[in-house]
Amino acid sequence: MWDIIFMDGIADTFHSQYQSQPLDLLSDSFYSSRQQAITERLQEIRSSNLETLQSWLERSWEAHYNTRCWGLNWDRFRGVQHVQSLAICLGGELLAAIFDRISQGIRHTTSGVPDLMVWSTDTRKYKIVEVKGPGDKLSFKQMLWIDYLLRAGADVEVCHVKPVGAKRILSGAEKSSK
């Protein structure tokens, strides 16, 4: 997808070689300017086998590692094998679905993404998790993402955590009564 995000030939998207994103990335024209290329690439991702996905990831990693890109934190992964193991677990169908949602409106879809993605390379299983603490509830954007992922066939869960064995902070009234 890197080559599509940074595609040549789209007017007024690059004014400097130091840009970490095309100028239209957060606009409605991002998708429409690249729709055909995005649609074709997503179909390739959906229909590719795991070895092909791994090969694409490796080539992209080697070509662009540590290149500044808005929304990308290279430090999240220990290396290309770490990224490949996630892709193997998710598979092309789900990866394409996630890329499709983001590419059609990155400005509207970057918030609400679930907190965690955990996976096991041994079992090739994964879980996408939204974590909620006491008194916390899902936002509308989180509900939209969870619904979208579930409809795409993802294994998604909301994990409600409760403090166990933690010290409680006493209120002023409680402190004065002790």
Side-chain angles (χ1 to χ4, degrees), residues 46 55 58 91 156 165:
R46 279 185 190 94
S55 175
E58 186 168 5
V156 183

Side-chain angles (χ1 to χ4, degrees), residues 106-121:
I106 194 165
R107 182 180 53 179
H108 305 293
T109 57
T110 52
S111 61
V113 176
D115 297 316
L116 301 172
M117 190 171 297
V118 293
W119 69 95
S120 167
T121 53

Side-chain angles (χ1 to χ4, degrees), residues 6-173:
F6 292 95
M7 183 180 276
D8 288 331
I10 300 173
D12 297 321
T13 56
F14 292 99
H15 294 281
S16 165
Q17 64 184 8
Y18 302 107
Q19 287 178 227
S20 64
Q21 69 191 53
L23 294 177
D24 67 340
L25 182 67
L26 301 177
S27 75
D28 294 333
S29 67
F30 176 82
Y31 181 75
S32 61
S33 299
R34 298 164 178 80
Q35 185 172 0
Q36 182 177 349
I38 290 170
T39 301
E40 290 170 4
R41 181 61 51 81
L42 294 177
Q43 186 51 44
E44 289 173 8
I45 292 170
R46 279 185 190 94
S47 61
S48 65
N49 60 38
L50 297 178
E51 291 77 23
T52 301
L53 284 175
Q54 287 179 297
S55 175
W56 285 339
L57 286 167
E58 186 168 5
R59 283 196 311 267
S60 188
W61 183 278
E62 289 172 357
H64 306 293
Y65 179 71
N66 265 346
T67 302
R68 285 188 47 226
C69 178
W70 183 89
L72 176 60
N73 182 348
W74 292 100
D75 295 331
R76 293 273 184 221
F77 294 96
R78 294 185 299 264
V80 68
Q81 295 83 11
H82 197 203
V83 177
Q84 289 171 321
S85 68
L86 176 59
I88 288 169
C89 293
L90 295 177
E93 283 287 335
L94 183 55
L95 283 172
I98 292 168
F99 294 153
D100 189 30
R101 177 168 167 82
I102 293 170
S103 67
Q104 290 192 43
I106 194 165
R107 182 180 53 179
H108 305 293
T109 57
T110 52
S111 61
V113 176
D115 297 316
L116 301 172
M117 190 171 297
V118 293
W119 69 95
S120 167
T121 53
D122 296 334
T123 62
R124 290 192 175 180
K125 290 187 179 184
Y126 70 91
K127 188 169 294 279
I128 301 171
V129 183
E130 176 61 39
V131 180
K132 292 292 161 197
D136 200 4
K137 59 184 177 181
L138 291 173
S139 72
F140 182 69
K141 288 186 175 190
Q142 289 170 328
M143 288 187 265
L144 289 174
W145 258 109
I146 290 169
D147 179 63
Y148 181 84
L149 291 167
L150 287 169
R151 284 186 288 116
D155 187 2
V156 183
E157 190 168 312
V158 177
C159 178
H160 297 275
V161 295
K162 296 178 183 176
V164 177
K167 291 186 177 182
R168 198 169 65 116
I169 298 174
L170 301 176
S171 70

